[in-house]
């Protein structure tokens, strides 16, 4: 009862609940991603001694740092996608879910093209690591494309969550594998066992990410089903609490209603 009272009545005043909901979306949804993209862009530029120049001054001129420029382009694309989401959710008078999804699909298409050309000069372990990452991005692109016509399918949303989790974990693994090996020694491209173990690590990532997703889903289901005393519900499930639901409950109801309206809007626009 103490926990419920704190959650319902001391999180945010009733008059400022809409403002708190908007600040929550801005602070933790859009701005954090924009700052992360900008930091990655600055880091990529600062890693090159003498600056990230496009062409040299020799004759004939030659393009410089092709992989670094592709990294920079990827970071800029992802930052632009976050900017579109931020504008649609917090700046424009009406949220355009179709614009958000379409922009995301277009950026993933360009990301896949960049990654395919990114491995032209790679070989051995680096080539294999990037090939597995391209596989995940390609599957994610198929899911995003299918969601343009079927935005309310829970199976697609579940696959999207798993593939995004897989892409993020494998990107971190790729960074340690290529630049910071755990053993302290670089991988051997001519050793077939190293390439085989890269595939083994990828399969471990699949199992671990799937287990994490299953654990989160199972814990959420257990919490929702077997802890009625801590649910943010009305007086029916808490007879000793005679006061009306607090601002957090009403805030969650408004957020759920907004998400339902966004899904209906996207479905109506995608239908002929």
């Amino acid at each position: 009862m103490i926990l419920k009272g704190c959650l319902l009545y001391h999180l945010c005043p009733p008059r400022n609940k809409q403002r708190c909901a908007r600040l929550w979306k801005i602070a933790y949804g859009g701005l954090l991603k924009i700052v992360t993209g900008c930091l990655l862009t600055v880091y990529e530029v600062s890693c090159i001694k003498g600056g990230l120049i496009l062409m040299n001054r020799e004759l004939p001129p030659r393009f410089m740092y092709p992989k670094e420029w592709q990294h920079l382009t990827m970071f800029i694309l992802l930052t632009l996608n976050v900017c579109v989401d931020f504008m649609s959710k917090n700046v424009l008078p009406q949220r355009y879910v179709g614009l958000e999804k379409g922009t995301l699909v277009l950026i993933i298409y360009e990301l896949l093209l960049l990654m395919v050309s990114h491995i032209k000069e790679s070989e051995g372990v680096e080539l294999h690591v990037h090939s597995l990452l391209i596989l995940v991005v390609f599957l994610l692109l198929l899911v995003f494309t299918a969601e343009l016509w079927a935005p309310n399918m829970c199976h697609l949303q579940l696959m999207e969550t798993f593939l995004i989790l897989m892409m993020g974990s494998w990107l971190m693994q790729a960074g340690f594998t290529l630049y910071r090996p755990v053993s302290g020694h670089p991988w051997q491209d001519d050793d077939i066992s190293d390439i085989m173990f890269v595939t083994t690590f990828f399969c471990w990532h699949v199992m671990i990410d799937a287990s994490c997703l299953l654990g989160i889903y199972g814990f959420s289901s257990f919490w929702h089903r077997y802890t009625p005393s801590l649910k943010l519900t009305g007086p029916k499930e808490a007879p000793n609490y005679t006061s009306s639901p607090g601002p957090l409950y009403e805030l969650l109801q408004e957020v759920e209603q907004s998400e339902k309206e966004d899904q209906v809007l996207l479905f109506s626009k995608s239908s002929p």
Side-chain angles (χ1 to χ4, degrees), residues 32-261:
L32 183 60
K33 296 178 183 179
I34 292 176
V35 171
T36 303
C38 294
L39 290 178
L40 289 173
T41 303
V42 173
Y43 174 77
E44 187 67 33
V45 174
S46 62
C47 285
I48 305 300
K49 295 182 179 180
L52 190 62
I53 60 176
L54 182 61
M55 300 180 67
N56 58 7
R57 298 182 180 180
E58 300 176 358
L59 292 177
R62 182 173 178 269
F63 287 104
M64 303 293 292
Y65 309 111
K67 288 190 175 182
E68 286 75 10
W69 276 107
Q70 287 191 340
H71 290 161
L72 183 63
T73 305
M74 293 176 187
F75 296 150
I76 293 176
L77 286 175
L78 295 176
T79 305
L80 289 177
N81 175 47
V82 177
C83 290
V84 171
D85 291 345
F86 181 81
M87 294 286 292
S88 177
K89 294 178 181 178
N90 302 284
V91 178
L92 298 179
Q94 181 181 1
R95 183 179 177 184
Y96 296 92
V97 184
L99 177 63
E100 298 174 17
K101 291 289 185 180
T103 305
L104 180 60
V105 172
L106 179 61
I107 288 176
I108 296 297
Y109 267 106
E110 296 182 5
L111 181 63
L112 182 62
L113 291 176
L114 289 172
M115 294 188 63
V116 169
S117 64
H118 192 70
I119 61 174
K120 294 298 182 180
E121 297 182 356
S122 303
E123 58 182 4
V125 174
E126 183 179 0
L127 176 62
H128 200 56
V129 169
H130 284 87
S131 299
L132 294 173
L133 181 60
I134 289 175
L135 174 62
V136 177
V137 175
F138 176 72
L139 295 176
L140 185 61
L141 177 62
L142 294 180
V143 173
F144 280 143
T145 305
E147 283 186 340
L148 291 177
W149 285 272
N152 298 323
M153 289 188 62
C154 60
H155 299 85
L156 292 178
Q157 295 174 357
L158 183 62
M159 287 189 290
E160 174 190 345
T161 304
F162 171 72
L163 290 173
I164 291 177
L165 184 63
M166 187 66 206
M167 183 175 66
S169 65
W170 188 245
L171 273 174
M172 291 188 291
Q173 178 67 52
F176 284 102
T177 301
L178 300 178
Y179 304 106
R180 298 285 183 178
V182 178
S183 62
H185 300 279
W187 294 64
Q188 302 298 323
D189 293 335
D190 54 351
D191 190 353
I192 188 63
S193 63
D194 285 357
I195 299 178
M196 292 175 64
F197 266 101
V198 169
T199 307
T200 304
F201 294 154
F202 182 81
C203 294
W204 289 353
H205 274 264
V206 172
M207 293 186 293
I208 293 173
D209 292 337
S211 300
C212 291
L213 191 62
L214 182 62
I216 293 173
Y217 177 78
F219 177 77
S220 301
S221 300
F222 175 83
W223 185 270
H224 178 74
R225 185 172 300 178
Y226 297 104
T227 56
S229 60
L230 295 179
K231 290 181 183 179
L232 300 178
T233 54
K236 289 185 178 180
E237 296 185 9
N240 296 328
Y241 227 80
T242 57
S243 58
S244 59
L248 179 59
Y249 176 76
E250 298 177 359
L251 177 60
L252 292 176
Q253 295 294 328
E254 293 180 1
V255 173
E256 292 178 359
Q257 183 65 26
S258 177
E259 292 179 353
K260 291 180 181 179
E261 292 177 357

